[in-house]
Amino acid sequence: MRLFILFSPLLWLLSEGDVIVLREIYGEIRTPNFPDLYPSDSEVTWNITVIEGFRIKLYFIHFDLEPSYLCEYDYAKVETDEQVLAVFCGKESTDTEQAPGKQVIVSPGNFLSLTFRSDFSNEERFTGFDAHYSAVDVDECAEQSDEDMVCDHHCHNYIGGFYCSCRFGYLLHSDNRTCKVECSDNLYTQRSGIISSADYPSPYPKSSDCLYRIELEEGFVVNLQFDDSFDIEDHPEVSCPYDYLKIKTGRREIGPICGEKSPGRIETGSNSVQILFHSDNSGENGGWRLSYTVTGISCPDLQPPLNGKIEPAQSKYTFKDQAVISCNSGYRVIKDNIEMDSFQIECRKDGTWSNQIPRCQIVDCKLPKELESGFVTFSTPANITTYQSTFTYSCREPYYTMIPNITAGYTCEASGLWINPEIGTSLPLCQPVCGLPHFSRSKLARIAGGSTAKRGISPWISMLANADSGRPFCGGSLIGDKWIITAAHCLHHEVDPENLGFTSSSDLFSLSSFKIILGKHRTLKQDDTEQVFQVKNLIIHPNYNSSTLQNDIGLVELSSKAFLNDYVIPICLPEEEVKSDEFVVVSGWGKQFLRKLPEALMEIEIPVVDHVLCKNVYTKIGKVLTEDMMCAGLREGGKDACSGDSGGPMVTFSHQNHNWFLAGTVSWGVGCGESDKYGVYSNVYKNVDWLRAKSGITY
Ligand code: 4AZ
């Protein structure tokens, strides 16, 4: 055999058994001698090879070979390496043999062979054939069948070839054909979840190795529940050779699992589970889906404490479950001697509770605050101070009255506080009752020319006495239970006449130089009813003038509270001014006629004198009567205050308020009990705001 390699598209006759190799992308093939008669006993083969990815299209524009039964004599045979595609002879097709006519032959690959053969004789004259071939592109993408996909997802044709690509989320496998997913590490840490093969229930990706890890804390166990719809490629004889699931826990391995039967529920008994899913490069199977749940190790049942509850109330508690213990209203959680609203415990991984259940202890409001000058009376005999117990406050009557006058008691509430429905947690005040002596007056006489007072008739009167000698030197009036109103001039040394007045606080008596005696009746002798007080503070009216005795008023604070009783009762502050001619009562231990001290407290009842009238009297003798001064006494004289009465009370009864109030304090005068001279008093009403402000007493 001779071999020709021809690159020219034009071919000519060669002798029997010749092989012509054609590599051009198109060409013409003619029988030897064409268009003349072809020779007998001739065989020529044209082997056409084109670039890979192309096919060869072959057709005849002229065909005239000797016809024979099944083309056994002369023929043109078209074939590939593996198969004969066609054998032609004659001029037109018959029942037994075929002529190519307009038929176009396309090679399955990039190689095609055309053989012309003629036998030893020709009955008639035959002209042979004139064929043309050309390389044509193959659309590999169009040709892929469902079973034999060229590309897993997308196929892209180009002249001479094709390539594959994958849908979003997939990666092209190294086989350049299948699409895999990147799923090498999926971690699940929630207490429940759903895991499935990619695209479930659509076919899962090929050529993939997926790993799903469920990792939970120790103390949990993972349970898997596979859906009924389960489809992993399997094999009738070999166990899961292609695709499979494997489930691994710390201790055991389950699988390989494949086929169409769902594994159903798998209790892994582990807190750490790995699910491996392998798929090979073929198969269209729906895959799998599972939901996983987690159960925890159980802790012992819980019993709520007495008077308490547990939330949430569950019949079973497992790992990580929390229970909050709280107490019923009026009870408090007690843990390690510490009081709290609630206490939380947790079920641990070893199935024990993190702590013991605490106790519920009844709320204790503790002993209520003491009420000054009052009492606490518990409703229960044993002074119980726990939740819902009650008590009432009361004031030491009749000397004190409750402000505000609450009627209800206090109850120990769940908050641990004593609550009164009217004033909440506040305390009432026990306010001294003023201006109501417990002894009634029978008759009134005079001090200077007055009469001895009945014991306790003037229970607000206070004696200012020398601390050493005990001799009384001034009077005063109790307001509230620790303040004495007296005359400012009673609180300092005699002022030097050369030096026109009281100049500095250094002129004041020292606090320890005098004492205050309440409940006093006898002048120099002791009384059973007396209460002696040290002085805590002295306050002189800021506008006091020691020369004119203007604003001759001051306050003395007792070192401790007076104990109010029938003999010690405060006087009320004035709410109005006393008009002239109204009668007032003045009391004191001051000098009587003959410069003698009385045996006991004296008192007089005298009328208030018109201010203008009194002022005129004093102007005449060169004395100044200021607006804060008031006069009282009789024109004819006789009843008057005198030396030693200073600072003492001038009181009167208010028919409006039904109590006695302090109208004035004894201040000065010219002589004692003289006619046409009146006693001068400091008008308390004029300075009542200052007194209230300094003493804090508002009544
Ligand atoms: C005094 O020296 C005094 N007659 C008080 C009052 C009167 C006179 C003197 C009024 O304390």
Side-chain angles (χ1 to χ4, degrees):
M1 183 204 285
R2 282 166 291 162
L3 181 71
F4 297 85
I5 299 176
L6 287 181
F7 296 101
S8 158
L10 188 65
L11 305 172
W12 56 90
L13 177 69
L14 294 155
S15 60
E16 187 188 346
D18 287 339
V19 174
I20 300 162
V21 175
L22 299 172
R23 292 197 181 278
E24 290 294 307
I25 58 168
Y26 66 94
E28 189 177 9
I29 302 170
R30 293 172 171 179
T31 44
N33 299 336
F34 186 84
D36 291 336
L37 306 182
Y38 57 78
S40 303
D41 273 330
S42 174
E43 185 172 323
V44 186
T45 300
W46 294 268
N47 283 342
I48 313 163
T49 306
V50 293
I51 314 159
E52 199 133 349
F54 287 80
R55 295 189 191 187
I56 300 152
K57 190 168 90 178
L58 177 74
Y59 51 92
F60 295 85
I61 58 169
H62 176 84
F63 194 89
D64 181 22
L65 295 192
E66 180 189 15
S68 59
Y69 178 72
L70 297 177
C71 300
E72 57 191 350
Y73 301 148
D74 296 357
Y75 59 82
K77 185 158 69 178
V78 185
E79 59 191 329
T80 67
D81 284 337
E82 283 146 13
Q83 62 180 134
V84 174
L85 300 176
V87 179
F88 300 116
C89 60
K91 201 166 187 172
E92 279 167 9
S93 296
T94 66
D95 288 347
T96 50
E97 56 274 340
Q98 270 205 309
K102 293 202 181 322
Q103 190 179 337
V104 176
I105 298 156
V106 180
S107 67
N110 63 337
F111 174 76
L112 193 69
S113 171
L114 173 61
T115 302
F116 164 70
R117 180 182 173 271
S118 60
D119 68 353
F120 63 92
S121 71
N122 277 329
E123 301 293 314
E124 292 169 39
R125 294 168 59 83
F126 301 103
T127 51
F129 61 75
D130 181 7
H132 289 260
Y133 81 88
S134 61
V136 289
D137 177 47
V138 184
D139 185 353
E140 292 87 348
C141 298
E143 286 186 4
Q144 63 182 4
S145 63
D146 275 354
E147 301 88 60
D148 189 18
M149 301 265 280
V150 176
C151 293
D152 203 359
H153 289 176
H154 304 297
C155 180
H156 309 276
N157 182 60
Y158 59 86
I159 296 171
F162 72 99
Y163 66 92
C164 301
S165 71
C166 297
R167 285 197 292 273
F168 179 76
Y170 290 78
L171 296 172
L172 191 64
H173 189 262
S174 56
D175 64 10
N176 284 332
R177 200 177 68 76
T178 51
C179 293
K180 63 174 186 174
V181 280
E182 186 47 67
C183 53
S184 54
D185 201 2
N186 300 289
L187 181 62
Y188 294 79
T189 55
Q190 301 292 311
R191 292 204 207 164
S192 65
I194 290 175
I195 307 174
S196 67
S197 53
D199 285 351
Y200 179 85
S202 299
Y204 51 78
K206 301 174 184 67
S207 307
S208 298
D209 279 292
C210 294
L211 173 64
Y212 308 89
R213 288 191 295 135
I214 306 170
E215 299 279 352
L216 282 125
E217 278 176 67
E218 264 184 69
F220 285 123
V221 288
V222 176
N223 302 310
L224 310 177
Q225 178 67 52
F226 280 89
D227 283 13
D228 289 341
S229 171
F230 186 91
D231 179 20
I232 297 176
E233 189 183 12
D234 62 350
H235 190 279
E237 281 113 43
V238 185
S239 166
C240 309
Y242 309 124
D243 304 345
Y244 54 82
L245 263 177
K246 273 183 186 171
I247 296 162
K248 286 183 185 174
T249 68
R251 278 161 282 154
R252 62 183 181 140
E253 187 172 316
I254 305 163
I257 306 167
C258 60
E260 287 174 23
K261 189 178 176 304
S262 166
R265 184 175 170 83
I266 296 175
E267 294 189 355
T268 66
S270 171
N271 63 310
S272 169
V273 177
Q274 292 185 7
I275 299 159
L276 294 130
F277 180 50
H278 170 82
S279 61
D280 69 356
N281 61 359
S282 68
E284 294 288 316
N285 298 75
W288 51 273
R289 182 167 71 176
L290 65 84
S291 58
Y292 79 87
T293 51
V294 161
T295 51
I297 286 168
S298 294
C299 271
D301 289 349
L302 290 177
Q303 207 59 43
L306 192 64
N307 297 310
K309 55 183 179 293
I310 294 174
E311 285 168 317
Q314 283 168 212
S315 56
K316 193 180 146 198
Y317 295 88
T318 56
F319 176 53
K320 283 268 173 182
D321 279 351
Q322 291 177 335
V324 176
I325 296 102
S326 57
C327 295
N328 300 346
S329 185
Y331 291 81
R332 297 273 291 159
V333 173
I334 288 280
K335 184 74 190 162
D336 301 331
N337 282 332
I338 297 166
E339 241 185 72
M340 51 193 95
D341 291 338
S342 61
F343 189 72
Q344 187 172 290
I345 56 173
E346 191 175 287
C347 180
R348 295 190 290 203
K349 65 183 176 190
D350 61 355
T352 63
W353 286 102
S354 60
N355 237 307
Q356 284 186 330
I357 291 191
R359 275 186 314 117
C360 282
Q361 182 174 282
I362 194 161
V363 164
D364 190 347
C365 289
K366 305 279 162 56
L367 277 177
K369 279 189 197 143
E370 278 187 20
L371 187 65
E372 264 190 83
S373 310
F375 312 101
V376 170
T377 311
F378 280 94
S379 317
T380 40
N383 290 6
I384 294 171
T385 58
T386 51
Y387 178 57
Q388 281 182 335
S389 54
T390 58
F391 77 86
T392 50
Y393 277 129
S394 55
C395 290
R396 204 165 60 75
E397 285 172 351
Y399 311 106
Y400 287 89
T401 186
M402 196 178 278
I403 304 286
N405 192 16
I406 51 168
T407 48
Y410 285 76
T411 304
C412 179
E413 305 260 303
S415 60
L417 298 170
W418 291 106
I419 305 283
N420 177 275
E422 292 159 67
I423 57 170
T425 53
S426 310
L427 262 64
L429 261 178
C430 285
Q431 182 176 291
V433 174
C434 64
L436 290 177
H438 291 183
F439 298 101
S440 59
R441 73 187 50 246
S442 47
K443 63 178 174 60
L444 291 168
R446 2 179 235 183
I447 309 176
S451 64
T452 306
K454 190 175 158 184
R455 246 181 212 276
I457 206 86
S458 186
W460 41 80
I461 186 125
S462 319
M463 181 186 274
L464 273 64
N466 186 284
D468 302 323
S469 65
R471 281 188 74 82
F473 61 91
C474 268
S477 309
L478 178 67
I479 57 164
D481 49 12
K482 62 170 192 170
W483 290 94
I484 309 293
I485 298 180
T486 186
H489 82 259
C490 291
L491 300 176
H492 64 86
H493 298 282
E494 288 272 309
V495 174
D496 183 355
E498 296 294 310
N499 185 352
L500 281 173
F502 172 77
T503 49
S504 73
S505 58
S506 62
D507 294 331
L508 275 180
F509 284 153
S510 72
L511 299 182
S512 57
S513 65
F514 69 102
K515 57 189 176 183
I516 307 282
I517 311 168
L518 301 177
K520 193 77 191 121
H521 182 66
R522 298 195 291 189
T523 314
L524 294 170
K525 291 188 180 147
Q526 230 184 330
D527 291 291
D528 293 346
T529 53
E530 72 182 40
Q531 295 178 39
V532 184
F533 296 91
Q534 306 298 311
V535 176
K536 190 176 177 183
N537 198 10
L538 294 180
I539 311 172
I540 301 277
H541 192 284
N543 299 328
Y544 164 62
N545 185 325
S546 62
S547 310
T548 61
L549 291 185
Q550 193 175 3
N551 296 308
D552 185 17
I553 197 157
L555 280 165
V556 178
E557 189 182 358
L558 303 184
S559 55
S560 60
K561 278 191 172 190
F563 181 78
L564 304 189
N565 56 29
D566 286 355
Y567 302 94
V568 179
I569 292 169
I571 187 71
C572 305
L573 289 171
E575 289 180 9
E576 61 194 277
E577 242 174 320
V578 190
K579 295 175 193 73
S580 48
D581 298 333
E582 279 186 44
F583 275 80
V584 291
V585 175
V586 179
S587 8
W589 291 276
K591 281 179 186 155
Q592 293 186 299
F593 300 123
L594 310 171
R595 314 187 125 259
K596 192 170 161 276
L597 285 180
E599 188 66 18
L601 181 69
M602 302 296 284
E603 65 176 22
I604 49 166
E605 189 176 26
I606 46 171
V608 171
V609 174
D610 178 68
H611 195 268
V612 179
L613 180 111
C614 188
K615 193 172 178 172
N616 291 338
V617 167
Y618 280 107
T619 310
K620 275 184 209 150
I621 54 170
K623 298 273 179 195
V624 183
L625 195 79
T626 54
E627 280 306 305
D628 63 292
M629 297 174 190
M630 61 192 287
C631 301
L634 298 168
R635 193 176 178 282
E636 66 271 25
K639 288 182 180 180
D640 196 5
C642 200
S643 174
D645 289 322
S646 273
M650 171 213 256
V651 299
T652 190
F653 191 77
S654 163
H655 291 279
Q656 198 181 318
N657 294 341
H658 307 287
N659 55 19
W660 291 83
F661 68 91
L662 188 67
T665 53
V666 179
S667 182
W668 59 277
V670 171
C672 300
E674 291 179 20
S675 61
D676 282 321
K677 304 272 182 329
Y678 302 100
V680 184
Y681 299 80
S682 181
N683 187 343
V684 173
Y685 186 74
K686 297 282 185 195
N687 283 312
V688 77
D689 292 341
W690 177 79
L691 290 164
R692 284 199 175 111
K694 290 292 166 187
S695 65
I697 288 159
T698 53
Y699 44 90

